[in-house]
Amino acid sequence: MDKNLNSKNSSSSPSSGGGLVQYIKDVFNGVKSLLVGLRRTMYYFTHHKEIITEQYPDNRATLVFPERFKGEVVMTHDENNEHACTGCTACELACPNATIKIITKFDVSPEGKKKKAIDKFVYHLELCTMCNLCIVACPTDAIKMAQTFEHSVYNRADLTKILNKPGSKIREGVE
Amino acid sequence: MGKLWEVFMLSFSKISQLIDSWLRATFNATWTMVIEMVIAGVCVIGLFAALGLVLVLMERRVAAWIQIRLGPNRVGPGGMLQSLADTLKLLVKEGMTPDGADKFLFNLAPFIAMMVAMLLMAPIAFAKDFQLWDLNIGVLYISAVSSLMVISILMAGWASNNKYSLMGAMRSGAQIVSYELSAGLSILTVVILSGSLNLNEIILSQSDGWWIFKGHIPVIISFVIFIIAVTAETNRAPFDLAEAESELTAGFHTEYSGMKFALFFLAEYINVFIVCAIGATLFLGGWMPFHIGHWEGFNHVMDFIPSSLWFFGKTFFLIFLIMWFRWTFPRLRIDQLLNLEWKYLLPISMFNILLVTVMAILGWYF
């Protein structure tokens, strides 16, 4: 029986020869490594304190996002309802999915000079992949990524957003 | 107080005797037989449903705790009704049969799976003197019938007419054919020691100590091999190659939906329960209470715990063990699986059985 075992396993043992001693070593090492794994999971099972999952709707008020979490593109407005978008369309060109469409108009200044400005900054949230390229492309930091994420709506049209607030205008000095 | 204690101690065997004597007094022998069979059938189906609900919930909870999660916690108090809600959902879902499938076999397969599970319930002793069928070859019957399980899997895989299903089924076939051997050999060690194939007699032979304590290291080795082999036989991780979600979508039950899928799902858990019940019966003394040598007081206290509680406690302990394995170990590859059986488990269990035989002949056990 013993001899039989020996010859059978010396040829087949994965760790090249060694015979019965190696075979028994393999078995012991295998069992040992399995026990190490079992001990780890048993530790987790018996130390049921730390929970790594977010209990989402319950902890909505206290949710903490990682710094780089990207939820949607927004345009920053200051207290005077002024933004920094010059309508240069760099973001529109940078966008891989044609998520952004900028409609421009011409403002007439008191001196009678025409100046290009945005009429509507159209943002299609349903097409956006949150790749951040528009934010990188923007020369005046007019847009940024917000950390909102509850974007579900009943009507697809609601996902098409106008980012510049009504009545807003470009901040003085931004070119 | 005495009355209350009597009600509490009303064991399963007493209840069954009461029902039996009442039926015998009311009906003639034939009708008594028929009614008792119906009652037994209803009880088994009820036990199946209850086990399905409890074990699915237990599995999800164990998995969640091991993975530092909470697990089901929305439906009912603490998520207790989650599996009930899932069952209701499965009941009202459409059970589709694919166009290219062999319709008869496809629809038959889940019922075969359930029938095998039901047949396996017959010789298990759930409590003292409480057994559907006191069979003198109980161990042989169980090892014979449990291998029929693979037929339903092969049937489902073949009839689905789907390559994933067929591959899953074939893997399951190879797996069960191999692991049956070491499961059988490890069961044999207990048969050798107790000298009987009757499950009841095996339990009675453990009245002075469970075989896992009486049989020293060889029985412990065969217990470990038994647990590994039955984990493989019931197609559970780390041996769940038959369904291997990441490679074969869902293996043999890819094409099943609704209640037909639920039957396979239920059969898996029932089978886990059954193999754990058998493991508890053979190695951990079935419904026998835990006794330590001559500690009369301690043994007396242990005797007061009902035998059914002992049986279910041991069974659920083994079920927990198998669930613990599932959520710890990664799935094996098919060649690793066959290597493990043919190069490690089978030689070790053959050597082990030799050792146990010598031990039994020389009487080297308590």
Side-chain angles (χ1 to χ4, degrees), chain B residues 15-128:
Chain B
I15 294 170
S16 63
Q17 270 166 18
L18 278 177
I19 292 173
D20 182 62
S21 54
W22 182 77
L23 283 173
R24 274 181 203 289
T26 322
F27 302 100
N28 61 22
T30 322
W31 277 109
T32 306
M33 183 86 165
V34 170
I35 291 171
E36 280 176 358
M37 277 179 166
V38 169
I39 291 174
V42 170
C43 284
V44 167
I45 292 170
L47 182 67
F48 271 31
L51 277 178
L53 296 178
V54 170
L55 288 180
V56 171
L57 193 72
M58 178 179 165
E59 170 114 85
R60 294 186 59 179
R61 187 74 70 190
V62 168
W65 283 33
I66 281 177
Q67 295 169 349
I68 333 181
R69 296 185 284 117
L70 277 182
N73 57 7
R74 297 283 143 185
V75 189
M80 298 295 275
L81 302 178
Q82 180 67 52
S83 48
L84 197 68
D86 288 344
T87 313
L88 274 179
K89 180 204 73 176
L90 283 169
L91 273 171
V92 296
K93 274 178 101 173
E94 183 186 1
M96 289 211 289
T97 309
D99 240 3
D102 185 329
K103 304 236 162 34
F104 176 68
L105 289 184
F106 184 85
N107 290 317
L108 184 64
F111 293 100
I112 299 238
M114 281 313 282
M115 263 153 60
V116 172
M118 275 192 178
L119 284 175
L120 282 171
M121 280 282 181
I124 293 174
F126 292 97
K128 194 166 190 278

Side-chain angles (χ1 to χ4, degrees), chain A residues 23 38 41 50 52 55 58, chain B residues 68 70 74 324 328 343:
Chain A
Y23 178 82
L38 285 175
T41 46
E50 179 204 10
I52 57 165
Q55 306 307 311
D58 298 342
Chain B
I68 333 181
L70 277 182
R74 297 283 143 185
W324 185 16
T328 304
K343 290 179 184 168

